[in-house]
Each structure stands twice: as structure tokens, then as C-alpha cells.
């Protein structure tokens, strides 16, 4: 949960998740929809799918160890080192954004710590320093140091246990580190979705494919628009492409802005005023007609939450 997410943001999700899945086996035995529902809102849903898959694999092993983690989905160097050191005491340094900042200042690192050269320099130094007898505590200590003392702005060097060895502090250059490479510009995209109702009031939802962005989550039918495409016509086109229905729409009902890691999105939401045909799973893996009151039982991407709220308000 803490990959790309701050502790204070993740904590309520963590508590809810652990209450529902208090053990590896509880998580392994759960259905994916249930896991995604308890991850809903945290973003980067691939992490939830990988965590679930890894739990299933480890639950089959009698006495899991570090080697059983290798090859499990979502277990890269960071997660491997974090689990390995904290659970089994392996002397593997954990490198996250906080650790990079501390190390860049400790070493007055002349390159970005996220560059190949910077990564190597940070890791080599950490491998020399990490104590074999308390690797997990040490890793957590540096991460905490970065989160609470060696903060991005105004590091509290007077309270830092490493200040005597810190090059940047000795030079008075703390604010110059870490070196940050220029960020590529994030493109902006438009998408459209439709609230499609059946005569009995049920609403159509579609489940996204089992791979790619927001995999397996449920949404109001639609999709991304072509550059310059008319929002309403694009909505009808995207709905037909995804669930095979021809629709006509009212005026735009809700507009949502949302930022993903690689692009930002404006989602234009319409109500279908005319619907022709029967739903088919074309660019989705499944669809359902659901009573309004049951929509919240499914996991929706955050960009669709305002639509759920608007439906609930309209029902009052
Ligand atoms: S002395 Fe200051 S700059 Fe250096 S690691 Fe500690 S808090 Fe960070």
C-alpha cells in the first residue's frame, strides 16, 4: 500500500483491509472482486491484484521464506527487500523516496538518486552500512528518518542522529539535494461515460478487462475520447464499442477531473435518453444491470465516484 502512497493516506485503507483479511490465508481465499472493493480509492490497483495473487501462491507453501517470494507478481527489489528484511531479517537495503533523499544528502550525491548511476551509488553505500543483526529495524529507521527528520523542505538537522556524518549538512547544501531530473509533461485526455438505465431502474455497469489500467474494476460504460471528438457523440461511440449498445444522451450531467500517474483526465458523464440493443461484452469482460442501491458493492475507479454520489443524490 505504501508504494506511491503516503502512510497517513494509506492507514484507513490498511485498517479496513486488515480487518477484512486478517491473515495470508484469508486474503488468499477471498475473491478478487472482494479484494478490489477493499482497495477501492487507493489507486494503482495492480498492487491489489498482485498482492492477492502472491498471497494465493504463498498460502500453498508450508513455511514461506524469501525464496518463495521470488517470481511472485509485484515483488520487485523494493518489496522483496522490505518483506525480506522486516519478516526474515535478510540484510537487504530498502530504497524508497525517503531513503533516497537521506542518502543523497548524506553523500551530497552529484547525480539524481533515481538515475542509474545514482541508484548504484546509494545501494552500494547502503549495503556497506546495513547491520546484518537488525536489517529490518534499520531499514524502517532510515525510511522514518526521511519521513520525519530529513524532510524535503527544511530538514531538522539538529535532531538528526546522522548529522555528524552528513556531507550536505557539513557543506550547508541540504537544499540542493536530492537532484531531481526534469519531469516529463503529463498529457491531458478526455473520456466519456454514460449512466444507462433499464425500465425497471437498474443501471448498467461494465467490468474493465483483466489487464491494463484499472483492470477488473467496474465502471459506467464509456471510454477514452479521440482528440477533438465531440463529447456526446464520443460517449455514444465509446459505449457502443464497449458494451454494444446504441445510445442517445442528454446534456452533460457530471464532469469529473482526475489525475492518473501518467496523464490527467476530464470525464464527461451523460445520461442515456434512448437505448437500442442488448449489452454485449466487447471491450469489457462482463456487464451487469444493478439496482442503484447495489452499485456500492462493486469496486469503481475514483473518477467514477462523483457519478455514484450524483446518482445517490438524485434518488433522495
Ligand atoms: S543531517 Fe540533515 S540533511 Fe543530513 S541526513 Fe540528517 S536531516 Fe538530512
Amino acid at each position: 500500500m505504501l508504494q506511491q502512497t503516503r502512510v497517513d493516506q494509506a492507514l484507513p485503507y490498511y485498517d479496513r483491509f486488515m480487518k477484512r483479511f486478517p491473515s495470508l490465508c484469508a486474503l488468499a481465499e477471498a475473491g478478487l472482486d472482494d479484494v478490489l472493493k477493499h482497495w477501492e480509492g487507493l489507486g494503482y490497483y495492480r498492487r491489489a491484484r498482485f498482492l492477492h495473487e502472491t498471497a494465493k501462491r504463498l498460502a500453498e507453501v508450508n513455511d514461506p521464506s524469501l525464496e518463495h517470494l521470488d517470481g511472485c507478481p509485484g515483488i520487485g527489489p523494493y518489496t522483496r527487500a522490505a518483506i525480506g528484511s522486516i519478516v526474515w531479517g535478510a540484510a537487504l537495503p530498502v530504497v524508497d523516496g525517503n531513503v533516497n533523499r537521506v542518502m543523497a544528502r548524506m553523500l551530497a550525491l552529484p547525480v539524481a538518486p533515481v538515475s542509474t548511476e545514482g541508484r548504484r551509488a546509494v545501494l552500494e553505500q547502503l549495503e556497506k552500512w546495513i547491520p546484518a543483526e537488525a536489517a529490518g529495524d534499520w531499514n524502517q529507521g532510515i525510511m522514518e528518518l526521511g519521513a520525519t527528520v530529513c524532510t524535503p523542505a527544511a530538514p531538522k538537522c539538529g535532531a538528526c542522529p546522522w548529522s555528524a556524518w552528513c556531507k550536505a549538512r557539513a557543506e550547508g547544501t541540504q537544499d540542493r539535494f536530492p537532484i531531481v531530473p526534469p519531469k516529463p509533461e503529463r498529457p491531458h485526455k478526455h473520456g466519456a461515460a454514460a449512466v444507462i438505465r433499464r425500465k425497471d431502474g437498474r443501471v448498467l455497469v461494465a467490468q474493465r478487462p483483466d489487464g491494463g489500467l484499472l483492470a477488473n474494476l467496474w465502471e459506467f460504460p464509456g471510454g477514452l475520447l479521440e482528440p477533438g471528438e465531440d463529447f456526446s457523440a464520443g460517449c455514444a461511440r465509446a459505449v457502443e464499442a464497449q458494451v454494444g449498445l446504441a445510445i442517445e444522451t442528454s446534456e452533460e450531467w457530471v464532469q469529473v477531473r482526475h489525475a492518473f500517474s501518467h496523464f490527467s483526465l476530464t470525464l464527461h458523464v451523460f445520461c442515456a435518453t434512448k437505448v437500442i440493443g442488448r449489452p454485449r461484452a466487447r471491450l469489457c469482460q462482463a456487464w451487469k444491470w444493478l439496482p442503484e442501491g447495489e452499485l456500492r458493492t462493486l469496486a469503481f475507479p475514483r473518477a467514477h465516484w462523483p457519478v455514484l454520489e450524483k446518482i445517490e443524490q438524485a434518488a433522495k
Side-chain angles (χ1 to χ4, degrees):
M1 281 186 186
L2 295 183
Q3 291 171 343
Q4 311 280 341
T5 307
R6 290 206 323 266
V7 173
D8 56 335
Q9 284 176 335
L11 264 180
Y13 292 93
Y14 176 80
D15 287 340
R16 201 163 60 110
F17 199 86
M18 292 307 292
K19 211 167 167 191
R20 170 64 189 88
F21 311 112
S23 67
L24 185 79
C25 289
L27 180 58
E29 285 161 12
L32 179 59
D33 265 350
D34 196 5
V35 175
L36 289 173
K37 182 66 194 164
H38 285 80
W39 197 274
E40 188 183 30
L42 256 180
Y44 301 98
Y45 292 89
R46 218 160 59 125
R47 298 176 300 178
R49 292 197 305 280
F50 286 167
L51 183 62
H52 184 224
E53 184 56 36
T54 294
K56 286 201 283 187
R57 290 195 198 178
L58 292 184
E60 286 169 11
V61 181
N62 237 344
D63 185 15
S65 64
L66 186 56
E67 71 193 43
H68 294 110
L69 274 186
D70 294 332
C72 284
I75 305 295
Y78 168 82
T79 315
R80 183 176 188 273
I83 298 175
S85 64
I86 295 169
V87 178
W88 295 297
L92 298 168
V94 172
V95 184
D96 67 358
N98 286 323
V99 174
N100 268 339
R101 184 170 55 257
V102 173
M103 292 305 291
R105 289 172 174 165
M106 284 293 291
L107 305 173
L109 195 67
V111 292
V114 294
S115 67
T116 310
E117 202 185 328
R119 243 182 237 146
R120 196 179 311 123
V122 166
L123 200 59
E124 272 177 19
Q125 194 59 60
L126 288 171
E127 279 170 353
K128 282 185 199 154
W129 287 349
I130 191 167
E133 65 284 1
D137 291 346
W138 194 81
N139 276 332
Q140 291 180 78
I142 304 189
M143 289 191 275
E144 199 63 12
L145 185 69
T148 59
V149 178
C150 193
T151 46
K156 304 172 193 79
C157 300
C160 176
W162 277 4
S163 62
W165 300 278
C166 179
K167 267 194 172 178
R169 189 192 189 191
E171 296 167 356
T173 55
Q174 296 95 317
D175 58 342
R176 291 200 209 148
F177 301 100
I179 290 172
V180 181
K183 268 194 184 166
E185 227 173 81
R186 198 161 46 174
H188 186 76
K189 300 185 182 185
H190 289 269
V195 176
I196 304 171
R197 283 175 201 279
R198 219 165 54 173
K199 280 195 184 120
D200 61 3
R202 287 180 177 237
V203 179
L204 185 66
V205 288
Q207 188 176 30
R208 294 179 62 87
D210 187 25
L213 185 71
L214 306 172
N216 298 303
L217 295 191
W218 291 83
E219 64 184 8
F220 299 101
L224 284 179
L225 300 178
E226 302 293 339
E229 189 174 17
D230 176 81
F231 301 147
S232 169
C235 180
R237 179 197 53 73
V239 166
E240 181 146 31
Q242 190 188 36
V243 292
L245 290 180
I247 63 164
E248 287 176 16
T249 63
S250 61
E251 285 184 357
E252 191 167 319
W253 193 49
V254 188
Q255 191 180 104
V256 186
R257 286 180 73 88
H258 186 70
F260 292 95
S261 55
H262 294 99
F263 66 94
S264 56
L265 175 77
T266 302
L267 182 68
H268 306 270
V269 185
F270 297 85
C271 289
T273 49
K274 192 170 172 189
V275 183
I276 301 168
R278 282 169 173 272
R280 276 164 289 160
R282 282 182 164 172
L283 294 180
C284 58
Q285 55 173 312
W287 53 268
K288 284 182 191 183
W289 291 105
L290 271 192
E292 279 177 10
E294 289 179 24
L295 289 170
R296 293 269 185 194
T297 60
L298 301 176
F300 282 81
R302 197 178 267 268
H304 286 242
W305 289 9
V307 190
L308 289 168
E309 280 159 23
K310 185 96 183 194
I311 289 174
E312 286 163 358
Q313 279 166 13
K316 279 180 190 165

